[in-house]
PDB file of all heavy atoms in Angstrom:
ATOM      1  N   TRP A  28       6.506   4.632 -11.627  1.00 98.00           N
ATOM      2  CA  TRP A  28       6.078   3.288 -11.146  1.00 98.00           C
ATOM      3  C   TRP A  28       6.291   3.307  -9.637  1.00 98.00           C
ATOM      4  O   TRP A  28       7.374   3.621  -9.184  1.00 98.00           O
ATOM      5  CB  TRP A  28       6.764   2.138 -11.838  1.00 98.00           C
ATOM      6  CG  TRP A  28       6.834   0.855 -10.984  1.00 98.00           C
ATOM      7  CD1 TRP A  28       5.888   0.400 -10.145  1.00 98.00           C
ATOM      8  CD2 TRP A  28       7.973  -0.023 -10.909  1.00 98.00           C
ATOM      9  NE1 TRP A  28       6.344  -0.797  -9.570  1.00 98.00           N
ATOM     10  CE2 TRP A  28       7.643  -1.082  -9.993  1.00 98.00           C
ATOM     11  CE3 TRP A  28       9.216  -0.051 -11.554  1.00 98.00           C
ATOM     12  CZ2 TRP A  28       8.515  -2.094  -9.690  1.00 98.00           C
ATOM     13  CZ3 TRP A  28      10.072  -1.079 -11.196  1.00 98.00           C
ATOM     14  CH2 TRP A  28       9.719  -2.131 -10.305  1.00 98.00           C
ATOM     15  N   PHE A  29       5.215   2.982  -8.903  1.00 98.00           N
ATOM     16  CA  PHE A  29       5.320   2.918  -7.419  1.00 98.00           C
ATOM     17  C   PHE A  29       5.369   1.509  -6.895  1.00 98.00           C
ATOM     18  O   PHE A  29       4.471   0.724  -7.232  1.00 98.00           O
ATOM     19  CB  PHE A  29       4.110   3.607  -6.803  1.00 98.00           C
ATOM     20  CG  PHE A  29       4.105   5.100  -6.999  1.00 98.00           C
ATOM     21  CD1 PHE A  29       3.505   5.693  -8.116  1.00 98.00           C
ATOM     22  CD2 PHE A  29       4.655   5.926  -6.062  1.00 98.00           C
ATOM     23  CE1 PHE A  29       3.528   7.032  -8.318  1.00 98.00           C
ATOM     24  CE2 PHE A  29       4.621   7.323  -6.249  1.00 98.00           C
ATOM     25  CZ  PHE A  29       4.107   7.865  -7.378  1.00 98.00           C
ATOM     26  N   SER A  30       6.340   1.173  -6.144  1.00 97.00           N
ATOM     27  CA  SER A  30       6.336  -0.077  -5.358  1.00 97.00           C
ATOM     28  C   SER A  30       5.140   0.040  -4.391  1.00 97.00           C
ATOM     29  O   SER A  30       4.594   1.077  -4.107  1.00 97.00           O
ATOM     30  CB  SER A  30       7.660  -0.265  -4.661  1.00 97.00           C
ATOM     31  OG  SER A  30       8.704  -0.529  -5.578  1.00 97.00           O
ATOM     32  N   PRO A  31       4.719  -1.117  -3.794  1.00 97.00           N
ATOM     33  CA  PRO A  31       3.403  -1.147  -3.143  1.00 97.00           C
ATOM     34  C   PRO A  31       3.264  -0.103  -1.977  1.00 97.00           C
ATOM     35  O   PRO A  31       4.214   0.093  -1.210  1.00 97.00           O
ATOM     36  CB  PRO A  31       3.326  -2.550  -2.578  1.00 97.00           C
ATOM     37  CG  PRO A  31       4.159  -3.338  -3.523  1.00 97.00           C
ATOM     38  CD  PRO A  31       5.294  -2.450  -3.858  1.00 97.00           C
ATOM     39  N   PHE A  32       2.071   0.481  -1.976  1.00 98.00           N
ATOM     40  CA  PHE A  32       1.686   1.381  -0.843  1.00 98.00           C
ATOM     41  C   PHE A  32       0.357   0.918  -0.214  1.00 98.00           C
ATOM     42  O   PHE A  32      -0.260   1.694   0.504  1.00 98.00           O
ATOM     43  CB  PHE A  32       1.593   2.813  -1.281  1.00 98.00           C
ATOM     44  CG  PHE A  32       0.853   3.056  -2.665  1.00 98.00           C
ATOM     45  CD1 PHE A  32      -0.344   2.478  -2.929  1.00 98.00           C
ATOM     46  CD2 PHE A  32       1.414   3.877  -3.630  1.00 98.00           C
ATOM     47  CE1 PHE A  32      -1.017   2.684  -4.143  1.00 98.00           C
ATOM     48  CE2 PHE A  32       0.801   4.105  -4.822  1.00 98.00           C
ATOM     49  CZ  PHE A  32      -0.411   3.485  -5.072  1.00 98.00           C
ATOM     50  N   TYR A  33      -0.005  -0.371  -0.488  1.00 98.00           N
ATOM     51  CA  TYR A  33      -1.244  -0.873   0.033  1.00 98.00           C
ATOM     52  C   TYR A  33      -1.167  -1.137   1.523  1.00 98.00           C
ATOM     53  O   TYR A  33      -0.047  -1.245   2.098  1.00 98.00           O
ATOM     54  CB  TYR A  33      -1.648  -2.130  -0.659  1.00 98.00           C
ATOM     55  CG  TYR A  33      -1.621  -2.108  -2.192  1.00 98.00           C
ATOM     56  CD1 TYR A  33      -0.633  -2.772  -2.899  1.00 98.00           C
ATOM     57  CD2 TYR A  33      -2.563  -1.408  -2.853  1.00 98.00           C
ATOM     58  CE1 TYR A  33      -0.670  -2.754  -4.219  1.00 98.00           C
ATOM     59  CE2 TYR A  33      -2.526  -1.351  -4.257  1.00 98.00           C
ATOM     60  CZ  TYR A  33      -1.623  -2.043  -4.904  1.00 98.00           C
ATOM     61  OH  TYR A  33      -1.607  -1.981  -6.321  1.00 98.00           O
ATOM     62  N   LYS A  34      -2.344  -1.348   2.185  1.00 98.00           N
ATOM     63  CA  LYS A  34      -2.377  -1.662   3.598  1.00 98.00           C
ATOM     64  C   LYS A  34      -1.618  -2.984   3.735  1.00 98.00           C
ATOM     65  O   LYS A  34      -1.868  -4.009   3.060  1.00 98.00           O
ATOM     66  CB  LYS A  34      -3.807  -1.845   4.036  1.00 98.00           C
ATOM     67  CG  LYS A  34      -3.920  -2.107   5.542  1.00 98.00           C
ATOM     68  CD  LYS A  34      -5.354  -2.157   5.962  1.00 98.00           C
ATOM     69  CE  LYS A  34      -5.505  -2.377   7.458  1.00 98.00           C
ATOM     70  NZ  LYS A  34      -6.892  -2.389   7.859  1.00 98.00           N
ATOM     71  N   SER A  35      -0.667  -3.038   4.726  1.00 98.00           N
ATOM     72  CA  SER A  35       0.180  -4.175   4.863  1.00 98.00           C
ATOM     73  C   SER A  35       0.877  -4.138   6.264  1.00 98.00           C
ATOM     74  O   SER A  35       1.215  -3.073   6.704  1.00 98.00           O
ATOM     75  CB  SER A  35       1.270  -4.123   3.759  1.00 98.00           C
ATOM     76  OG  SER A  35       2.362  -4.981   4.055  1.00 98.00           O
ATOM     77  N   PRO A  36       1.158  -5.308   6.817  1.00 97.00           N
ATOM     78  CA  PRO A  36       1.998  -5.379   8.013  1.00 97.00           C
ATOM     79  C   PRO A  36       3.480  -5.090   7.741  1.00 97.00           C
ATOM     80  O   PRO A  36       4.267  -5.093   8.690  1.00 97.00           O
ATOM     81  CB  PRO A  36       1.748  -6.768   8.531  1.00 97.00           C
ATOM     82  CG  PRO A  36       1.334  -7.576   7.396  1.00 97.00           C
ATOM     83  CD  PRO A  36       0.578  -6.692   6.443  1.00 97.00           C
ATOM     84  N   GLN A  37       3.842  -5.018   6.486  1.00 96.00           N
ATOM     85  CA  GLN A  37       5.213  -4.619   6.094  1.00 96.00           C
ATOM     86  C   GLN A  37       6.275  -5.645   6.419  1.00 96.00           C
ATOM     87  O   GLN A  37       7.418  -5.379   6.721  1.00 96.00           O
ATOM     88  CB  GLN A  37       5.582  -3.239   6.692  1.00 96.00           C
ATOM     89  CG  GLN A  37       4.607  -2.097   6.362  1.00 96.00           C
ATOM     90  CD  GLN A  37       4.650  -1.742   4.928  1.00 96.00           C
ATOM     91  OE1 GLN A  37       5.729  -1.642   4.269  1.00 96.00           O
ATOM     92  NE2 GLN A  37       3.402  -1.451   4.393  1.00 96.00           N
ATOM     93  N   ALA A  38       5.889  -6.887   6.359  1.00 94.00           N
ATOM     94  CA  ALA A  38       6.886  -8.036   6.541  1.00 94.00           C
ATOM     95  C   ALA A  38       7.850  -8.042   5.406  1.00 94.00           C
ATOM     96  O   ALA A  38       8.988  -8.452   5.619  1.00 94.00           O
ATOM     97  CB  ALA A  38       6.141  -9.298   6.735  1.00 94.00           C
ATOM     98  N   ASP A  39       7.443  -7.663   4.201  1.00 94.00           N
ATOM     99  CA  ASP A  39       8.348  -7.575   3.108  1.00 94.00           C
ATOM    100  C   ASP A  39       8.113  -6.243   2.423  1.00 94.00           C
ATOM    101  O   ASP A  39       7.926  -6.108   1.222  1.00 94.00           O
ATOM    102  CB  ASP A  39       8.032  -8.761   2.075  1.00 94.00           C
ATOM    103  CG  ASP A  39       9.008  -8.726   0.951  1.00 94.00           C
ATOM    104  OD1 ASP A  39      10.128  -8.259   1.022  1.00 94.00           O
ATOM    105  OD2 ASP A  39       8.598  -9.345  -0.127  1.00 94.00           O
ATOM    106  N   ALA A  40       8.167  -5.183   3.264  1.00 92.00           N
ATOM    107  CA  ALA A  40       8.118  -3.822   2.744  1.00 92.00           C
ATOM    108  C   ALA A  40       6.963  -3.563   1.788  1.00 92.00           C
ATOM    109  O   ALA A  40       7.062  -2.884   0.809  1.00 92.00           O
ATOM    110  CB  ALA A  40       9.453  -3.413   2.085  1.00 92.00           C
ATOM    111  N   GLY A  41       5.824  -4.083   2.084  1.00 95.00           N
ATOM    112  CA  GLY A  41       4.615  -3.818   1.379  1.00 95.00           C
ATOM    113  C   GLY A  41       4.215  -4.840   0.390  1.00 95.00           C
ATOM    114  O   GLY A  41       3.153  -4.835  -0.210  1.00 95.00           O
ATOM    115  N   TYR A  42       5.150  -5.775   0.018  1.00 97.00           N
ATOM    116  CA  TYR A  42       4.863  -6.864  -0.943  1.00 97.00           C
ATOM    117  C   TYR A  42       4.043  -7.964  -0.240  1.00 97.00           C
ATOM    118  O   TYR A  42       3.817  -9.013  -0.809  1.00 97.00           O
ATOM    119  CB  TYR A  42       6.045  -7.379  -1.525  1.00 97.00           C
ATOM    120  CG  TYR A  42       6.513  -6.432  -2.666  1.00 97.00           C
ATOM    121  CD1 TYR A  42       7.499  -5.476  -2.417  1.00 97.00           C
ATOM    122  CD2 TYR A  42       6.038  -6.491  -3.953  1.00 97.00           C
ATOM    123  CE1 TYR A  42       7.914  -4.577  -3.365  1.00 97.00           C
ATOM    124  CE2 TYR A  42       6.506  -5.627  -4.970  1.00 97.00           C
ATOM    125  CZ  TYR A  42       7.407  -4.679  -4.641  1.00 97.00           C
ATOM    126  OH  TYR A  42       7.768  -3.758  -5.613  1.00 97.00           O
ATOM    127  N   ASP A  43       3.618  -7.754   1.002  1.00 97.00           N
ATOM    128  CA  ASP A  43       2.684  -8.602   1.694  1.00 97.00           C
ATOM    129  C   ASP A  43       1.426  -7.820   1.945  1.00 97.00           C
ATOM    130  O   ASP A  43       1.322  -7.042   2.900  1.00 97.00           O
ATOM    131  CB  ASP A  43       3.278  -9.079   3.032  1.00 97.00           C
ATOM    132  CG  ASP A  43       3.915  -7.991   3.838  1.00 97.00           C
ATOM    133  OD1 ASP A  43       4.535  -7.083   3.253  1.00 97.00           O
ATOM    134  OD2 ASP A  43       3.715  -7.928   5.140  1.00 97.00           O
ATOM    135  N   VAL A  44       0.445  -7.954   1.036  1.00 98.00           N
ATOM    136  CA  VAL A  44      -0.676  -7.054   0.962  1.00 98.00           C
ATOM    137  C   VAL A  44      -1.817  -7.586   1.825  1.00 98.00           C
ATOM    138  O   VAL A  44      -2.267  -8.733   1.662  1.00 98.00           O
ATOM    139  CB  VAL A  44      -1.174  -6.786  -0.443  1.00 98.00           C
ATOM    140  CG1 VAL A  44      -2.307  -5.870  -0.535  1.00 98.00           C
ATOM    141  CG2 VAL A  44       0.057  -6.242  -1.294  1.00 98.00           C
ATOM    142  N   ALA A  45      -2.313  -6.779   2.742  1.00 98.00           N
ATOM    143  CA  ALA A  45      -3.434  -7.092   3.522  1.00 98.00           C
ATOM    144  C   ALA A  45      -4.771  -6.575   3.030  1.00 98.00           C
ATOM    145  O   ALA A  45      -5.903  -7.196   3.244  1.00 98.00           O
ATOM    146  CB  ALA A  45      -3.313  -6.575   5.031  1.00 98.00           C
ATOM    147  N   ASP A  46      -4.728  -5.485   2.226  1.00 98.00           N
ATOM    148  CA  ASP A  46      -5.964  -4.956   1.555  1.00 98.00           C
ATOM    149  C   ASP A  46      -5.489  -4.239   0.353  1.00 98.00           C
ATOM    150  O   ASP A  46      -4.787  -3.205   0.326  1.00 98.00           O
ATOM    151  CB  ASP A  46      -6.601  -3.971   2.500  1.00 98.00           C
ATOM    152  CG  ASP A  46      -7.993  -3.467   2.009  1.00 98.00           C
ATOM    153  OD1 ASP A  46      -8.232  -3.674   0.742  1.00 98.00           O
ATOM    154  OD2 ASP A  46      -8.809  -2.931   2.788  1.00 98.00           O
ATOM    155  N   TYR A  47      -5.907  -4.733  -0.819  1.00 98.00           N
ATOM    156  CA  TYR A  47      -5.479  -4.229  -2.133  1.00 98.00           C
ATOM    157  C   TYR A  47      -6.214  -2.942  -2.508  1.00 98.00           C
ATOM    158  O   TYR A  47      -5.858  -2.373  -3.489  1.00 98.00           O
ATOM    159  CB  TYR A  47      -5.745  -5.292  -3.282  1.00 98.00           C
ATOM    160  CG  TYR A  47      -4.796  -6.499  -3.147  1.00 98.00           C
ATOM    161  CD1 TYR A  47      -5.096  -7.586  -2.375  1.00 98.00           C
ATOM    162  CD2 TYR A  47      -3.617  -6.525  -3.868  1.00 98.00           C
ATOM    163  CE1 TYR A  47      -4.265  -8.734  -2.352  1.00 98.00           C
ATOM    164  CE2 TYR A  47      -2.782  -7.621  -3.919  1.00 98.00           C
ATOM    165  CZ  TYR A  47      -3.157  -8.752  -3.078  1.00 98.00           C
ATOM    166  OH  TYR A  47      -2.334  -9.785  -3.005  1.00 98.00           O
ATOM    167  N   ARG A  48      -7.311  -2.573  -1.764  1.00 98.00           N
ATOM    168  CA  ARG A  48      -8.063  -1.423  -2.123  1.00 98.00           C
ATOM    169  C   ARG A  48      -7.866  -0.330  -1.166  1.00 98.00           C
ATOM    170  O   ARG A  48      -8.751   0.614  -1.066  1.00 98.00           O
ATOM    171  CB  ARG A  48      -9.548  -1.835  -2.215  1.00 98.00           C
ATOM    172  CG  ARG A  48      -9.873  -2.843  -3.311  1.00 98.00           C
ATOM    173  CD  ARG A  48     -11.298  -3.259  -3.281  1.00 98.00           C
ATOM    174  NE  ARG A  48     -11.646  -4.179  -4.350  1.00 98.00           N
ATOM    175  CZ  ARG A  48     -11.481  -5.543  -4.193  1.00 98.00           C
ATOM    176  NH1 ARG A  48     -10.979  -6.029  -3.051  1.00 98.00           N
ATOM    177  NH2 ARG A  48     -11.774  -6.353  -5.184  1.00 98.00           N
ATOM    178  N   ASP A  49      -6.843  -0.316  -0.313  1.00 98.00           N
ATOM    179  CA  ASP A  49      -6.635   0.791   0.653  1.00 98.00           C
ATOM    180  C   ASP A  49      -5.185   1.048   0.781  1.00 98.00           C
ATOM    181  O   ASP A  49      -4.335   0.213   0.420  1.00 98.00           O
ATOM    182  CB  ASP A  49      -7.203   0.347   2.018  1.00 98.00           C
ATOM    183  CG  ASP A  49      -7.449   1.560   2.897  1.00 98.00           C
ATOM    184  OD1 ASP A  49      -7.270   2.672   2.481  1.00 98.00           O
ATOM    185  OD2 ASP A  49      -7.894   1.376   4.085  1.00 98.00           O
ATOM    186  N   ILE A  50      -4.872   2.221   1.260  1.00 98.00           N
ATOM    187  CA  ILE A  50      -3.419   2.682   1.429  1.00 98.00           C
ATOM    188  C   ILE A  50      -3.035   2.467   2.833  1.00 98.00           C
ATOM    189  O   ILE A  50      -3.795   2.674   3.755  1.00 98.00           O
ATOM    190  CB  ILE A  50      -3.346   4.188   1.123  1.00 98.00           C
ATOM    191  CG1 ILE A  50      -3.877   4.439  -0.328  1.00 98.00           C
ATOM    192  CG2 ILE A  50      -1.913   4.636   1.218  1.00 98.00           C
ATOM    193  CD1 ILE A  50      -3.166   3.810  -1.413  1.00 98.00           C
ATOM    194  N   ASP A  51      -1.806   1.939   3.061  1.00 98.00           N
ATOM    195  CA  ASP A  51      -1.294   1.822   4.390  1.00 98.00           C
ATOM    196  C   ASP A  51      -1.107   3.171   5.048  1.00 98.00           C
ATOM    197  O   ASP A  51      -0.650   4.136   4.378  1.00 98.00           O
ATOM    198  CB  ASP A  51      -0.040   1.002   4.372  1.00 98.00           C
ATOM    199  CG  ASP A  51       0.348   0.506   5.700  1.00 98.00           C
ATOM    200  OD1 ASP A  51       0.879   1.313   6.564  1.00 98.00           O
ATOM    201  OD2 ASP A  51       0.095  -0.656   6.057  1.00 98.00           O
ATOM    202  N   GLY A  52      -1.452   3.263   6.319  1.00 97.00           N
ATOM    203  CA  GLY A  52      -1.327   4.454   7.038  1.00 97.00           C
ATOM    204  C   GLY A  52       0.063   5.066   7.078  1.00 97.00           C
ATOM    205  O   GLY A  52       0.278   6.227   7.235  1.00 97.00           O
ATOM    206  N   LEU A  53       1.106   4.213   6.891  1.00 97.00           N
ATOM    207  CA  LEU A  53       2.482   4.670   6.760  1.00 97.00           C
ATOM    208  C   LEU A  53       2.611   5.666   5.684  1.00 97.00           C
ATOM    209  O   LEU A  53       3.451   6.573   5.650  1.00 97.00           O
ATOM    210  CB  LEU A  53       3.440   3.553   6.547  1.00 97.00           C
ATOM    211  CG  LEU A  53       3.759   2.617   7.725  1.00 97.00           C
ATOM    212  CD1 LEU A  53       4.614   1.432   7.201  1.00 97.00           C
ATOM    213  CD2 LEU A  53       4.476   3.375   8.774  1.00 97.00           C
ATOM    214  N   PHE A  54       1.835   5.469   4.561  1.00 98.00           N
ATOM    215  CA  PHE A  54       2.046   6.279   3.360  1.00 98.00           C
ATOM    216  C   PHE A  54       0.962   7.311   3.147  1.00 98.00           C
ATOM    217  O   PHE A  54       1.092   8.193   2.231  1.00 98.00           O
ATOM    218  CB  PHE A  54       2.030   5.269   2.095  1.00 98.00           C
ATOM    219  CG  PHE A  54       3.066   4.227   2.211  1.00 98.00           C
ATOM    220  CD1 PHE A  54       2.690   2.875   2.142  1.00 98.00           C
ATOM    221  CD2 PHE A  54       4.382   4.506   2.378  1.00 98.00           C
ATOM    222  CE1 PHE A  54       3.661   1.873   2.292  1.00 98.00           C
ATOM    223  CE2 PHE A  54       5.345   3.476   2.491  1.00 98.00           C
ATOM    224  CZ  PHE A  54       4.973   2.176   2.441  1.00 98.00           C
ATOM    225  N   GLY A  55      -0.144   7.223   3.844  1.00 98.00           N
ATOM    226  CA  GLY A  55      -1.225   8.204   3.717  1.00 98.00           C
ATOM    227  C   GLY A  55      -2.563   7.550   3.571  1.00 98.00           C
ATOM    228  O   GLY A  55      -2.881   6.539   4.254  1.00 98.00           O
ATOM    229  N   THR A  56      -3.376   8.099   2.725  1.00 98.00           N
ATOM    230  CA  THR A  56      -4.839   7.655   2.604  1.00 98.00           C
ATOM    231  C   THR A  56      -5.134   7.598   1.093  1.00 98.00           C
ATOM    232  O   THR A  56      -4.351   7.999   0.214  1.00 98.00           O
ATOM    233  CB  THR A  56      -5.758   8.748   3.238  1.00 98.00           C
ATOM    234  OG1 THR A  56      -5.641   9.984   2.470  1.00 98.00           O
ATOM    235  CG2 THR A  56      -5.446   9.010   4.645  1.00 98.00           C
ATOM    236  N   LEU A  57      -6.306   6.992   0.883  1.00 98.00           N
ATOM    237  CA  LEU A  57      -6.726   6.968  -0.569  1.00 98.00           C
ATOM    238  C   LEU A  57      -6.895   8.357  -1.117  1.00 98.00           C
ATOM    239  O   LEU A  57      -6.638   8.582  -2.314  1.00 98.00           O
ATOM    240  CB  LEU A  57      -8.112   6.234  -0.670  1.00 98.00           C
ATOM    241  CG  LEU A  57      -8.047   4.713  -0.814  1.00 98.00           C
ATOM    242  CD1 LEU A  57      -9.454   4.160  -0.708  1.00 98.00           C
ATOM    243  CD2 LEU A  57      -7.410   4.307  -2.099  1.00 98.00           C
ATOM    244  N   ALA A  58      -7.330   9.359  -0.337  1.00 98.00           N
ATOM    245  CA  ALA A  58      -7.345  10.720  -0.827  1.00 98.00           C
ATOM    246  C   ALA A  58      -6.038  11.252  -1.202  1.00 98.00           C
ATOM    247  O   ALA A  58      -5.775  11.936  -2.225  1.00 98.00           O
ATOM    248  CB  ALA A  58      -7.981  11.602   0.290  1.00 98.00           C
ATOM    249  N   ASP A  59      -4.956  10.799  -0.416  1.00 98.00           N
ATOM    250  CA  ASP A  59      -3.603  11.203  -0.767  1.00 98.00           C
ATOM    251  C   ASP A  59      -3.165  10.585  -2.052  1.00 98.00           C
ATOM    252  O   ASP A  59      -2.467  11.206  -2.914  1.00 98.00           O
ATOM    253  CB  ASP A  59      -2.609  10.817   0.337  1.00 98.00           C
ATOM    254  CG  ASP A  59      -2.793  11.579   1.629  1.00 98.00           C
ATOM    255  OD1 ASP A  59      -3.150  12.711   1.561  1.00 98.00           O
ATOM    256  OD2 ASP A  59      -2.594  10.994   2.670  1.00 98.00           O
ATOM    257  N   ALA A  60      -3.552   9.304  -2.296  1.00 98.00           N
ATOM    258  CA  ALA A  60      -3.175   8.642  -3.568  1.00 98.00           C
ATOM    259  C   ALA A  60      -3.938   9.287  -4.752  1.00 98.00           C
ATOM    260  O   ALA A  60      -3.338   9.575  -5.773  1.00 98.00           O
ATOM    261  CB  ALA A  60      -3.616   7.188  -3.468  1.00 98.00           C
ATOM    262  N   ASP A  61      -5.214   9.661  -4.532  1.00 98.00           N
ATOM    263  CA  ASP A  61      -5.935  10.411  -5.588  1.00 98.00           C
ATOM    264  C   ASP A  61      -5.268  11.706  -5.972  1.00 98.00           C
ATOM    265  O   ASP A  61      -5.116  12.108  -7.129  1.00 98.00           O
ATOM    266  CB  ASP A  61      -7.361  10.613  -5.173  1.00 98.00           C
ATOM    267  CG  ASP A  61      -8.187   9.366  -5.129  1.00 98.00           C
ATOM    268  OD1 ASP A  61      -7.768   8.346  -5.763  1.00 98.00           O
ATOM    269  OD2 ASP A  61      -9.228   9.274  -4.485  1.00 98.00           O
TER     270      ASP A  61
END
């Protein structure tokens, strides 16, 4: 189980999601997730 890796300003370490369909650049890309 992964805690959030979505696009986020990281005010609450990713539990503040700005885009539910994309990966935050801190963690990589959608290709990295795949």
Side-chain angles (χ1 to χ4, degrees):
W28 153 38
F29 289 89
S30 290
F32 43 49
Y33 310 110
K34 186 176 180 180
S35 165
Q37 303 294 317
D39 184 24
Y42 283 92
D43 49 318
V44 180
D46 187 344
Y47 292 86
R48 297 178 180 84
D49 201 1
I50 305 297
D51 195 278
L53 286 173
F54 305 122
T56 65
L57 273 173
D59 292 328
D61 291 340

